[in-house]
């Protein structure tokens, strides 16, 4: 005879109108557990160790610090010196795209003193790159965890092998750029999202875990602005799946507090809505044709379509062969809706990372890519490989289907994996771009590491001193030492000298006070190598706009080299400073009339307002003013032709200044 149900069970049955079994007690976990068979554990961790070791070895063999990596270190130097997060003293320009990378290096450099900043960046970049790959693999393993709970399987690296085999992945693991931080961030977010999406019995549900996941997702915009596409999607999924208003409030607070606070700081301190680099490179623009060229340039040397052709059916076979134990699917709570259950599930986590990767790839293709071979498509590739970073080869046990079928499935998975491994071995030894690697062709894309190794004659350029072998670099120090009275340095046609524009003698002009101290400024594209080889008292400017507020607000050139498609004439730099503005003090290739027009154009009311936002002393009033006008300042553009700018703002065109005889 069946036992009679209790009174409470009977009451619940009557209310529901149907007889249902009592829900099993659901064991909640605070943080992710690892309930695998010993064979799964051993093979997984062996795969992680082997892949991370191979990636670390390959990255170390190609170690270097990029010129753009040195740009970040100039900002770190200013932070350590107490000048604030700026590139040049007295001018608040955010010259770095990744806020998190800048401050992470600042903290690491402060802790690691007196280690050279370049070595701090090298160690941090490599360590974070390796962590990113490890998290990527652990996230994929967690994805297959429920179906492997009571099965024996061997975990093999697949997508992770593909990523580390691509030469640019190893190039940018130690470049001093934020690439390593991006990998660590993407890997961590993927792992956390998979843990969050697990079945109810093994899902971490504590407020600490939810808050940590929301915080990581919210930091996306601080790691790189375009990663907000991924972090924002994660927060939306969490809000949909949240079961009460307290959980939603926690998600909003943990995910939004830091990025919102920094955005307010950016608007008030820098007077912009976006990083200065986004303004300089016009991140809202589009160059689809150039983006397709960039995609082809990344794919062609390595035939990246081959592993995709192999991994797509591999992923389909694995998903179809997953075991779904009934004990991992308890009766859902009455207030847990169908949409919430669908969002907080392993398939949704897979869709999340794949959609994020595709969105990032489309963003960069629309933007036109980059001038560095493969760099900006590495993060999208990393995301697309996440679900199959490691794969299980299940040992047939005859429980879910016959052993013959199990052997067939294992054979297909093994065969596809061998194809991926074979491609990885070939791609890892690919010559890459070949003879065009260091030539700036019409596409504008180069292998940046090989380019600088060739240009400096140093196999592994790591420090700023290594870049003194780059054309014109050693001559910078010579020119500054030879002009104690101050000068503006303009690049000449000779790689071993600079054209010098002297300072106006103190007190000899209305805008040059008698107390004016000698100043030096260098006008050159390669901000990193110059900025790290000269003192912080030397102003370093570029024509692209990464550290030059005037150039940053000019229009993007339609057919300019990608990433370098703003080009400010040197006449503006002469006009914007205490430099002589007439012959014979300025080089003959400059137009004296253009200099006069540029000097007048800098006094256009809106231009003055933009420049004051970054040059006037920072006070509470200035902060609030910048905050209020940040949208207007971000949208403002300057015509790079001085005469056109004068006409636009309605200022009179200055008369041509008299030209004294130049003699010799």
């Amino acid at each position: 005879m069946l036992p009679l149900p209790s009174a409470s069970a009977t009451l619940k049955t009557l209310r529901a109108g149907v007889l249902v079994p009592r829900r099993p007690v659901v064991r909640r976990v605070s943080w992710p557990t690892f309930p695998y068979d010993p064979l799964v554990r051993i093979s997984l961790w062996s795969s992680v160790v082997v892949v991370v070791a191979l990636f670390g070895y390959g990255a170390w063999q190609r170690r270097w610090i990029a010129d753009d990596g040195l740009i970040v270190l100039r900002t770190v130097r200013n932070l350590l010196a107490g000048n604030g997060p700026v590139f040049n003293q007295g001018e608040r320009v955010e010259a770095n795209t990744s806020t998190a990378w800048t401050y992470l290096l600042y903290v690491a450099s402060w802790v690691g003193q007196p280690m050279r900043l370049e070595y701090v960046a090298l160690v941090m970049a490599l360590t974070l790159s390796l962590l990113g790959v490890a998290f990527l693999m652990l996230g994929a393993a967690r994805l297959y965890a429920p179906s492997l709970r009571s099965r024996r399987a061997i975990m093999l690296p697949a997508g992770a092998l593909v990523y580390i085999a691509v030469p640019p992945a190893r190039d940018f693991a130690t470049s001093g750029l934020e690439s390593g931080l991006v990998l660590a961030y993407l890997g961590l977010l993927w792992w956390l999202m998979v843990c969050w999406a697990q079945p109810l019995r093994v899902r971490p549900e504590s407020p600490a875990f939810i808050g940590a996941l929301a915080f990581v997702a919210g930091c996306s915009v601080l790691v790189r602005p375009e990663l907000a596409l991924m972090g924002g999607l994660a927060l939306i999924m969490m809000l949909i799946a949240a079961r009460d208003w307290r959980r939603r409030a926690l998600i909003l607070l943990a995910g939004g507090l830091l990025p919102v606070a920094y955005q307010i700081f950016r608007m008030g301190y820098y007077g912009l809505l976006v990083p200065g680099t986004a303004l300089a490179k016009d991140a809202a623009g589009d160059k689809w044709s150039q983006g397709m060229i960039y995609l082809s340039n990344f794919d062609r040397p390595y035939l990246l379509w081959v592993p995709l052709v192999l991994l797509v059916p591999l992923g389909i076979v694995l998903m179809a062969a997953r075991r779904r134990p009934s004990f991992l699917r308890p009766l859902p709570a009455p207030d847990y809706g169908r949409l919430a259950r669908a969002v907080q599930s392993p398939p949704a986590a897979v869709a999340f990372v794949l959609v994020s990767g595709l969105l990032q790839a489309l963003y960069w293709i629309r933007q036109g890519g980059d001038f560095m071979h493969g760099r900006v498509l590495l993060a999208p590739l990393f995301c697309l490989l996440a679900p199959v970073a490691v794969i299980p080869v299940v040992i047939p046990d005859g429980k879910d289907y016959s052993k013959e079928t199990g052997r067939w499935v294992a054979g297909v998975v093994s065969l596809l994996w061998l194809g991926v491994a074979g491609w990885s071995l070939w791609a890892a030894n690919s010559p890459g771009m070949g003879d065009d690697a260091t030539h700036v062709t019409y596409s504008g894309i180069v292998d940046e590491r090989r380019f600088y190794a060739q240009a400096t004659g140093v196999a592994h350029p790591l420090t700023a001193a290594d870049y003194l072998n780059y054309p014109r670099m050693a001559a910078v120090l010579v020119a500054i030492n030879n002009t104690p009275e101050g000068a503006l340095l303009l690049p000449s046609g000779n790689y071993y000298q600079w054209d010098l524009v002297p300072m106006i003698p103190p007190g000899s002009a209305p805008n040059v006070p008698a107390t004016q101290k000698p100043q030096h400024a260098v006008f050159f594209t390669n901000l990193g190598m110059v900025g790290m080889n000269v003192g912080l008292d030397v102003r370093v400017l570029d024509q692209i706009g990464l550290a030059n507020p005037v150039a940053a607000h000019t229009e993007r050139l339609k057919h300019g080299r990608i990433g370098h498609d703003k080009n400010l004439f040197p006449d503006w730099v002469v006009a914007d400073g205490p430099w002589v503005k007439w012959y014979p003090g300025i080089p003959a290739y400059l137009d004296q009339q253009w200099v006069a027009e540029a000097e007048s154009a800098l006094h256009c009311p809106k231009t003055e307002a933009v420049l004051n936002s970054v040059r006037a002393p920072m006070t509470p009033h200035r902060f609030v003013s910048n905050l209020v006008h940040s949208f207007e300042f971000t949208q403002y553009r300057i015509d790079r032709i001085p005469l056109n700018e004068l006409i636009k703002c309605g200022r009179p065109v200055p008369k041509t200044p008299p030209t004294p005889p130049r003699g010799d």
Side-chain angles (χ1 to χ4, degrees):
M1 178 180 295
L2 295 175
L4 294 175
S6 64
S8 60
T10 303
L11 181 59
K12 290 180 181 179
T13 301
L14 292 174
R15 286 178 178 176
V18 294
L19 184 62
V20 294
R22 179 181 293 181
R23 289 184 59 204
V25 177
V26 177
R27 181 180 63 85
R28 299 294 180 83
V29 295
S30 298
W31 287 86
T33 58
F34 221 65
Y36 296 145
D37 179 85
L39 180 60
V40 176
R41 289 174 179 267
I42 294 171
S43 59
L44 172 61
W45 286 107
S46 297
S47 296
V48 171
V49 170
V50 169
V51 170
V52 169
L54 287 174
F55 189 36
Y57 175 78
W60 185 255
Q61 292 298 108
R62 305 165 83 95
R63 62 193 180 278
W64 70 303
I65 297 291
D67 176 68
D68 284 29
L70 296 177
I71 293 177
V72 181
L73 297 185
R74 165 90 172 189
T75 302
V76 173
R77 283 177 65 196
N78 273 299
L79 280 167
L80 292 171
N83 299 324
V86 299
F87 190 81
N88 291 308
Q89 294 182 44
E91 197 165 63
R92 296 180 295 276
V93 174
E94 191 176 13
N96 313 313
T97 302
S98 176
T99 302
W101 181 236
T102 301
Y103 286 97
L104 189 63
L105 284 181
Y106 166 61
V107 173
S109 300
W110 182 77
V111 172
Q113 290 180 355
M115 183 186 295
R116 288 185 65 106
L117 294 180
E118 297 93 328
Y119 296 146
V120 172
L122 177 72
V123 172
M124 292 292 294
L126 180 58
T127 302
L128 290 170
S129 296
L130 300 182
L131 283 175
V133 172
F135 275 123
L136 186 79
M137 299 176 71
L138 293 176
R142 173 64 53 182
L143 182 68
Y144 300 109
S147 63
L148 298 176
R149 188 179 182 94
S150 58
R151 305 172 82 175
R152 303 190 72 211
I154 298 174
M155 304 297 291
L156 295 175
L161 278 182
V162 172
Y163 184 80
I164 69 170
V166 179
R170 285 169 279 144
D171 285 347
F172 290 102
T174 62
S175 62
L177 297 167
E178 69 278 358
S179 302
L181 176 62
V182 169
L183 292 192
Y185 175 80
L186 294 176
L188 177 61
L189 182 58
W190 158 244
W191 178 72
L192 289 173
M193 284 296 290
V194 172
C195 294
W196 172 79
Q198 291 291 284
L200 194 58
R201 278 186 181 274
V202 292
R203 176 190 304 165
E205 287 283 327
S206 69
F209 177 82
I210 298 300
L213 174 54
F215 176 80
V216 171
C219 286
S220 58
V221 70
L222 301 179
V223 176
R224 274 197 69 92
E226 71 276 4
L227 292 183
L229 297 170
M230 189 172 187
L233 180 57
L235 289 174
I236 291 172
M237 293 173 66
M238 294 180 69
L239 289 172
I240 292 174
R243 305 182 189 182
D244 54 57
W245 66 267
R246 292 185 181 85
R247 188 60 58 90
R248 292 188 180 95
L250 172 63
I251 293 169
L252 290 174
L253 182 64
L257 182 60
L258 184 59
V260 169
Y262 186 79
Q263 182 62 21
I264 294 173
F265 170 78
R266 171 182 284 148
M267 294 163 67
Y269 190 77
Y270 298 109
L272 294 175
L273 295 174
V274 296
T277 52
L279 177 65
K281 298 188 178 184
D282 195 8
D286 63 87
K287 284 191 173 184
W288 285 102
S289 59
Q290 177 63 27
M292 294 306 297
I293 292 173
Y294 188 79
L295 176 63
S296 175
N297 176 271
F298 183 41
D299 169 74
R300 192 187 312 113
Y302 319 113
L303 302 179
L304 285 172
W305 58 269
V306 172
L308 294 180
V309 167
L310 296 172
L311 289 173
V312 169
L314 181 59
I316 293 174
V317 170
L318 291 173
M319 294 302 290
R322 288 178 65 210
R323 171 183 287 177
R324 298 172 177 82
S326 60
F327 63 82
L328 288 180
R329 293 185 284 117
L331 187 69
D335 62 342
Y336 197 38
R338 180 178 300 175
L339 177 60
R341 293 197 302 272
V343 167
Q344 195 171 5
S345 66
V350 172
F352 157 76
V353 75
L354 293 179
V355 169
S356 298
L358 289 173
L359 287 176
Q360 290 180 60
L362 286 174
Y363 168 80
W364 281 114
I365 293 172
R366 177 184 181 273
Q367 175 70 8
D370 191 41
F371 62 95
M372 301 185 194
H373 170 63
R375 180 177 76 106
V376 297
L377 292 180
L378 290 174
L381 177 65
F382 196 74
C383 291
L384 294 176
L385 295 172
V388 288
V390 293
I391 60 168
V393 179
V394 179
I395 298 175
D397 54 12
K399 293 182 179 179
D400 294 312
Y401 36 75
S402 66
K403 287 192 175 182
E404 290 74 13
T405 303
R407 293 190 187 99
W408 181 85
V409 172
V412 171
V413 171
S414 301
L415 186 62
L416 291 172
W417 180 83
L418 287 173
V420 170
W423 174 90
S424 300
L425 183 62
W426 170 80
N429 296 281
S430 168
M433 293 179 64
D435 294 337
D436 290 335
T438 59
H439 299 156
V440 184
T441 60
Y442 181 76
S443 71
I445 305 168
V446 298
D447 183 328
E448 193 83 345
R449 182 189 63 84
R450 289 173 61 184
F451 176 86
Y452 280 118
Q454 183 183 82
T456 61
V458 180
H460 304 289
L462 293 174
T463 66
D466 291 334
Y467 280 92
L468 289 176
N469 295 326
Y470 191 80
R472 296 191 178 94
M473 283 304 100
V476 169
L477 305 183
V478 174
I480 291 176
N481 289 333
N482 290 341
T483 53
E485 68 283 359
L488 167 65
L489 280 64
L490 301 176
S492 69
N494 188 326
Y495 282 167
Y496 301 99
Q497 68 182 41
W498 290 76
D499 290 331
L500 303 178
V501 179
M503 285 186 63
I504 299 175
S508 61
N511 59 341
V512 182
T515 57
Q516 178 76 63
K517 295 181 180 180
Q519 296 181 17
H520 286 94
V522 184
F523 184 60
F524 196 53
T525 306
N526 301 89
L527 290 172
M529 62 180 72
V530 177
M532 284 297 288
N533 275 304
V534 300
L536 295 178
D537 58 332
V538 177
R539 197 161 172 245
V540 182
L541 302 169
D542 65 317
Q543 65 266 46
I544 302 170
L546 297 177
N548 187 340
V550 179
H553 285 277
T554 59
E555 293 287 354
R556 190 181 191 185
L557 300 177
K558 185 175 182 180
H559 299 293
R561 183 190 178 196
I562 191 68
H564 297 73
D565 39 11
K566 290 188 177 181
N567 189 5
L568 188 72
F569 295 111
D571 310 72
W572 287 91
V573 183
V574 175
D576 186 28
W579 320 114
V580 170
K581 298 169 176 54
W582 51 84
Y583 299 125
I586 60 176
Y589 53 78
L590 297 185
D591 190 306
Q592 190 169 328
Q593 175 63 19
W594 272 46
V595 173
E597 291 170 356
E599 186 178 21
S600 179
L602 289 171
H603 293 287
C604 290
K606 291 186 178 179
T607 302
E608 279 193 323
V610 168
L611 294 179
N612 284 337
S613 71
V614 298
R615 293 177 178 174
M618 178 49 60
T619 62
H621 178 269
R622 169 57 55 193
F623 187 92
V624 173
S625 176
N626 285 356
L627 188 68
V628 171
H629 296 96
S630 56
F631 178 80
E632 176 187 346
F633 293 158
T634 304
Q635 298 297 315
Y636 183 65
R637 292 296 181 269
I638 299 170
D639 197 303
R640 60 198 290 265
I641 308 297
L643 179 59
N644 294 346
E645 182 64 17
L646 286 176
I647 295 172
K648 184 176 72 174
C649 78
R651 284 182 63 86
V653 179
K655 296 181 179 180
T656 303
T659 304
R662 282 189 253 180
D664 57 357

